[in-house]
Amino acid sequence: MKVLIVGSGGREHAIAWSVAKSPKVDKIYCAPGNAGISEYAECVPIGAMEFEKLADFAEEKAVDLTVIGMDDPLVGGVVDVFESRGLKVFGPRKNAAILEGSKAFSKDLMKKYHIPTAAYENFNDAEKALEYLREQAKFPIVLKADGLALGKGVLICNDLREAEEGVKEIMEDKKFGSAGNTMVIEEFMTGREVSVLSFVDGRTIRTMTSAQDHKRALDGDQGLNTGGMGTFSPSPFYTEEIDAFCQKYIYQPTVDAMAAEGRPFTGIIFFGLMLTADGPKVLEYNARFGDPEAQVVLPRMKTDIVEVMEACIEGRLDRMELEFEDNAAVCVVLASEGYPVKYEKGIPIYGFENFKGKDGYYCFHAGTKFQDGQIVTNGGRVLGITAKGKDLKEARKNAYEATEWIQFSNKYMRHDIGKAIDEA
Ligand code: AMP
Ligand code: GLY
């Protein structure tokens, strides 16, 4: 088979690595890819939002399966373009990717189908939102821009003044662009966060092993929200009992709700959950693998990813089970100092050779490129260093050891990825 992967981050590197393991696959392309992905795939300079060019390429090279890694093209309808041209593609159509593309849509869906989530109201008028905040809100409260905002469109406001400022940023100053035309105001929840990713074929859902992300830039969950500074898998807080509850009241009901709405979902649903005192509740849905969740979940997956994706597309996931290794993995993101605000790029990276021949250690590239034959930094998140271990403690020790194998002058990382493990 020939497989085309669309995207250029650490998630796509993990997907490419996983696809490359499949005995069914002889050739991988990645658009646009990055320096690390080029080890497994031929990278082609087509942007993820150039749908017709991507489809032309898939047609020209007789690609058998295209895998969309990123949210923007999915929400923009890349799958519909591929399908209309008779090309096989893994991911939700536009009318299903809205599960991630519009928080107002997903909140209304959960309300209609009684899927546990935080209480909320949707607003498309700043005055009405302010009136609600002044008259009815309990603080802290959460403001969310409706659309895609690189994971940054969520503001937690401690008092009315902060909330008024938040409404201004989202709805009036359009800090997150048109994502802020509509806004969700949501009850603040407390608890542990868990990410559960799943494969879905429109009707059947098969969940993967759990993970936990660390979204803030600084140790101790301080600083600004980022795309994710590190992950561990599995989450020791995600017990069998919690899983059974979520399968029954969250996962299958979400898939059924989408089908009932005439928006059957095929692809990955990523459930962002909060384990509250009142039970698990949905924080958000994503319509793709998490980044850096994929970097800890996929290295532990025993099942052939290509077979699962084909089963999803062909609607026969009910005849498959997923298998994961009985171990653990931790991923520590090496970022550019200053991320997520301002940082330098183009800095040479050294030490990749240290990963050669080391089983259970992975150096996933997130923001890198070749420059004059040398691999240099090309983004805020630069690399995801993943290591496996027999348990979470060993995996964490291994991952932090491996972070020392890589050098670049403005290397930055959190030192407390997986600290929660000690409290389990
Ligand atoms: P989201 O993009 O919706 O996952 O939100 C980003 C982050 O904001 C989440 O990972 C949570 O840490 C936090 N968050 C979102 N919604 C809530 C909520 N209702 N209560 C508390 N924290 C929240
Ligand atoms: N790591 C969170 C996300 O991919 O949205």
Side-chain angles (χ1 to χ4, degrees):
M1 279 176 77
K2 293 184 196 167
V3 178
L4 167 64
I5 297 167
V6 177
S8 60
R11 165 184 50 212
E12 286 75 24
H13 191 172
I15 294 171
W17 170 84
S18 194
V19 165
K21 277 201 314 183
S22 171
K24 302 180 90 165
V25 174
D26 336 280
K27 173 83 186 171
I28 307 176
Y29 299 99
C30 189
N34 65 35
I37 294 171
S38 65
E39 192 181 326
Y40 311 99
E42 182 178 331
C43 293
V44 288
I46 307 175
M49 297 306 284
E50 298 180 289
F51 302 166
E52 296 295 342
K53 278 195 192 165
L54 289 169
D56 290 344
F57 179 84
E59 221 166 68
E60 187 189 310
K61 299 288 185 190
V63 164
D64 300 289
L65 172 65
T66 298
V67 180
I68 312 296
M70 300 165 71
D71 44 3
D72 283 325
L74 290 169
V75 170
V78 68
V79 168
D80 306 63
V81 170
F82 271 66
E83 284 185 349
S84 73
R85 295 176 57 170
L87 295 162
K88 200 158 153 184
V89 58
F90 178 76
R93 291 180 192 143
K94 184 173 182 166
N95 76 352
I98 191 174
L99 192 62
E100 169 164 8
S102 167
K103 293 191 193 282
F105 169 86
S106 69
K107 295 297 291 188
D108 287 346
L109 185 87
M110 288 187 266
K111 187 191 249 174
K112 181 169 172 188
Y113 292 91
H114 311 291
I115 296 166
T117 188
Y120 75 102
E121 296 281 341
N122 294 337
F123 295 91
N124 42 35
D125 179 296
E127 273 315 309
K128 293 242 164 63
L130 290 168
E131 200 179 293
Y132 172 86
L133 287 166
R134 286 172 190 142
E135 288 169 11
Q136 304 192 34
K138 277 199 288 179
F139 296 93
I141 201 154
V142 185
L143 309 188
K144 297 185 174 183
D146 176 56
L148 296 181
L150 297 168
K152 290 168 193 150
V154 174
L155 305 176
I156 294 172
C157 305
N158 290 307
D159 53 39
L160 181 61
R161 197 194 51 77
E162 280 181 27
E164 285 173 340
E165 184 56 32
V167 173
K168 183 167 175 298
E169 277 181 22
I170 293 176
M171 298 196 91
E172 289 168 0
D173 304 347
K174 298 274 187 232
K175 192 170 166 192
F176 309 106
S178 60
N181 291 347
T182 299
M183 193 180 75
V184 179
I185 300 186
E186 184 175 282
E187 166 204 7
F188 178 76
M189 301 189 285
T190 51
R192 289 203 184 271
E193 286 186 42
V194 183
S195 302
V196 176
L197 281 55
S198 65
F199 289 94
V200 182
D201 75 354
R203 280 178 307 145
T204 301
I205 179 162
R206 291 281 184 264
T207 49
M208 294 176 238
T209 181
S210 61
Q212 184 179 321
D213 192 9
H214 299 66
K215 289 209 168 93
R216 303 292 200 96
L218 308 176
D219 282 10
D221 291 327
Q222 302 294 307
L224 294 171
N225 257 322
T226 70
M229 293 299 295
T231 36
F232 58 83
S233 169
S235 163
F237 309 103
Y238 187 77
T239 60
E240 273 178 33
E241 192 188 358
I242 291 174
D243 182 62
F245 177 93
C246 294
Q247 298 285 354
K248 187 165 173 197
Y249 295 106
I250 295 178
Y251 306 149
Q252 190 65 50
T254 299
V255 174
D256 295 345
M258 290 299 281
E261 293 292 309
R263 300 171 180 274
F265 193 106
T266 301
I268 303 288
I269 301 182
F270 164 151
F271 298 85
L273 304 173
M274 180 83 92
L275 308 181
T276 76
D278 300 328
K281 294 187 183 180
V282 178
L283 276 170
E284 63 160 349
Y285 293 116
N286 294 313
R288 40 142 186 107
F289 279 102
D291 188 346
E293 281 86 347
Q295 290 90 314
V296 284
V297 169
L298 292 179
R300 299 184 53 227
M301 189 162 93
K302 292 203 260 184
T303 319
D304 182 333
I305 193 173
V306 174
E307 281 191 11
V308 191
M309 289 177 171
E310 289 187 300
C312 289
I313 295 168
E314 290 159 18
R316 47 180 178 76
L317 192 59
D318 57 336
R319 277 166 271 159
M320 268 197 98
E321 296 298 334
L322 301 183
E323 275 193 277
F324 287 84
E325 291 169 2
D326 182 18
N327 57 9
V330 169
C331 173
V332 180
V333 169
L334 303 185
S336 305
E337 177 91 55
Y339 172 72
V341 183
K342 194 165 170 268
Y343 47 84
E344 254 184 275
K345 294 198 269 191
I347 294 176
I349 310 171
Y350 304 98
F352 294 113
E353 67 284 357
N354 294 318
F355 286 83
K356 283 254 148 49
K358 297 255 183 25
D359 250 14
Y361 292 86
Y362 310 82
C363 178
F364 292 120
H365 291 226
T368 64
K369 67 170 185 184
F370 281 105
Q371 192 171 287
D372 308 324
Q374 153 94 52
I375 298 179
V376 301
T377 66
N378 190 38
R381 292 191 292 178
V382 178
L383 300 166
I385 305 298
T386 296
K388 295 200 281 199
K390 66 177 186 310
D391 56 21
L392 286 161
K393 284 201 167 120
E394 189 180 278
R396 178 176 56 183
K397 184 174 145 286
N398 293 346
Y400 272 107
E401 232 166 66
T403 61
E404 299 302 322
W405 302 347
I406 292 284
Q407 291 87 40
F408 52 97
S409 63
N410 61 344
K411 171 175 142 183
Y412 169 78
M413 64 182 153
R414 273 183 63 164
H415 288 89
D416 61 348
I417 302 302
K419 190 162 183 287
I421 297 163
D422 300 331
E423 296 152 28

